[in-house]
Amino acid sequence: MSKQKNQYVCNDCGGVTKKWLGQCPHCQQWNTLTEVKEVVPSRPGRSQRFSGYAGVDAPEVKSLNEITPEQISRQPVGISEFDRVLGGGLVHGAVTLLGGDPGIGKSTLLLQTSVKCTSFGKVLYVTGEESLEQVTLRSKRLGLSQEVDLRLLAETQVERILKAAEIERPKVLIVDSIQTIFTESLQSAPGGVAQVRESAAILTQFAKRTGICLFLVGHVTKEGALAGPRVLEHMVDTVLYFEGEQDSRFRLLRAVKNRFGAANELGIFAMTETGLKTVSNPSAIFLSRYEDLQPGSLVMVAWEGTRPLLVEVQALVDEAHSPNPRRIAVGLDQNRLAMLLAVLNRHGGVASYDQDVFINVVGGMKITETAADLALLLACVSSLRGKALSQELIIFGEVGLSGEIRPVQRGLERIKEAAKHGFTQAIVPFANCPKQAVEGIEVIGVKHLEDALAAL
C-alpha cells in the first residue's frame, strides 16, 4: 500500500521538514520552503525493519595501497575553450550541469557540442522545451552540418528518456532542460524541487551505470543561482555557469565545480550569427587602448583557472552630494571595496569619506581573487588626483589591513604574460619580484601601500 505524504523542501539546501516554517532549520534561510507531494510506500512492519543483515552480502573493503589508480581517459570535444573548462575533454560516465540566464547561449553551445561529438560516437539530444523542428531550424541557422548522425528526442518523462537511451546506446546524452523533466513516481508538477531532484538522480545513476557522458541544462533564479535545491550541484561531477552581459557579444563559461579538472577555469566565447566562437586571445577583449591617457584606468593581471588574463580596471571618484557617499563595484566585491578605501585613508593618507567611488571591470569580467586590491586602490588614487597612469604599466597585489602588500600566487607567470603583451613596467608585491630579470619589463617591488603610492 502507498499513501500521499506532504513535505516541505528547501529550495536552497534541499532540507526536508514536515511542516512549513518561515526559516529553514538546515541552512537558516528565510522563505525558502516549498510544499511537495510525494507518493511513498507505507511504513514497513517491525519484522521488516529489524530483520538484520543475515541475507545481505558483506561489502568488499580494500586498503589504500591495494588500489591501483587508473589514468582517466578524455575525449576532446573539438571546441578548445569548452575542452579547457571541462579539464581537457569528456570523461567516461561524467555528469555535467550547465546553468545560465535565458538566451545566453546554453542550448547553442550544447547543440554545437553534440554535432562535434558525433565524430566519435552516437549522440542523443533530448529537448523538453522545443520541438524537433525548432532544433533543426536552429542547427541550420548556425550553419551546422546536417549530414551527421545526431539523434533527437522530444520527451519530458524520465522513464521514457531512459528507455530510448537504452535502445540508442549513445556515447553522449544531452537533456535540455532538467526543469522540464518529471518522473511518474512523484505526483508533483515538473519543475518542482522534488521532481528536479529525483529526475536528476535517476539520470545520474543511469549515466554512472552505463558510462555515457551526460549533460544537464539548468535554469537559474533571479539571483543567478541554479534553480532547485543545492543538492542538484552535489549530485553531478561538473557545474558550469555562463556569465556575461546580455548586450555584450562575449560569453564567459566558468567551471564552479569539476571533479576531473581545475575549478574556477574560464572559457571565453564570442556570440556570432553562426553560434559561439572561441576567443584565441582572451586578454585582448578586456583591454582598451586610448590615444589620450585616461585618469582612473589601469591594467591588472588576473589568474583564472590555469591561465593569466589581462583585465582593465576603471575607477571614478567624484564629490559626494549626499550625506552617505556611495560605494559601487561592478565585477568586484563591494564590501572589500569599502574595506580597502579605509586602508587607503588610514595607511596611505588619501581620504575618500566625502567622495562617491565607482569601480568597473571592463568586459563583464568578475574578479574574486585578492590580487586586484592594489590595482583597485591605485585606480582610485589616479581618478581622485586626476592624473592618468602610463598605458605600459601593469599592477597586481593583495593589500592587508595594516597597509602591507602581500604576495599572490603565480607572480612570475603574471609578469611574463604582461611582458608578452608589450607592458614595460610592473608594480608588484616585493615577494613576487623575480630572481632573474624578465626581458622587456621593469619590475618594481613594493612592501607597503606608501611605497606603491610613491612609485606612481
Side-chain angles (χ1 to χ4, degrees), residues 56-101:
V56 180
D57 296 334
E60 184 181 2
V61 180
K62 292 184 178 181
S63 300
L64 180 63
N65 54 12
E66 297 176 358
I67 303 173
T68 303
E70 298 181 0
Q71 185 68 26
I72 298 178
S73 59
R74 297 182 182 273
Q75 178 63 54
V77 173
I79 303 176
S80 58
E81 290 295 303
F82 195 30
D83 285 332
R84 172 187 289 273
V85 176
L86 291 174
L90 300 179
V91 178
H92 186 72
V95 182
T96 302
L97 178 63
L98 177 62
D101 295 329

Side-chain angles (χ1 to χ4, degrees), residues 69-144:
E70 298 181 0
Q71 185 68 26
I72 298 178
S73 59
R74 297 182 182 273
Q75 178 63 54
V77 173
I79 303 176
S80 58
E81 290 295 303
F82 195 30
D83 285 332
R84 172 187 289 273
V85 176
L86 291 174
L90 300 179
V91 178
H92 186 72
V95 182
T96 302
L97 178 63
L98 177 62
D101 295 329
I104 202 169
K106 301 185 296 298
S107 300
T108 299
L109 176 62
L110 289 182
L111 187 58
Q112 293 179 241
T113 301
S114 60
V115 173
K116 291 282 187 180
C117 291
T118 54
S119 60
F120 59 83
K122 186 182 292 186
V123 179
L124 178 59
Y125 189 99
V126 180
T127 173
E129 300 178 345
E130 299 175 299
S131 65
L132 300 184
E133 290 77 12
Q134 288 176 314
V135 176
T136 304
L137 287 174
R138 187 167 74 248
S139 66
K140 291 182 178 180
R141 177 174 56 85
L142 298 176
L144 302 177

Side-chain angles (χ1 to χ4, degrees), residues 37 44 52-53 66 102 104 106 113 126 128 130 144 152 165 170 182 205 260 275 279 281 287 294 324 338 371 436 448:
K37 297 180 180 180
Y53 303 97
E66 297 176 358
I104 202 169
K106 301 185 296 298
T113 301
V126 180
E130 299 175 299
L144 302 177
L152 301 178
F182 71 96
Q205 292 173 2
F260 307 110
V279 178
N281 186 14
L287 299 180
Q294 302 292 328
N324 298 319
Q436 297 181 354
H448 198 271

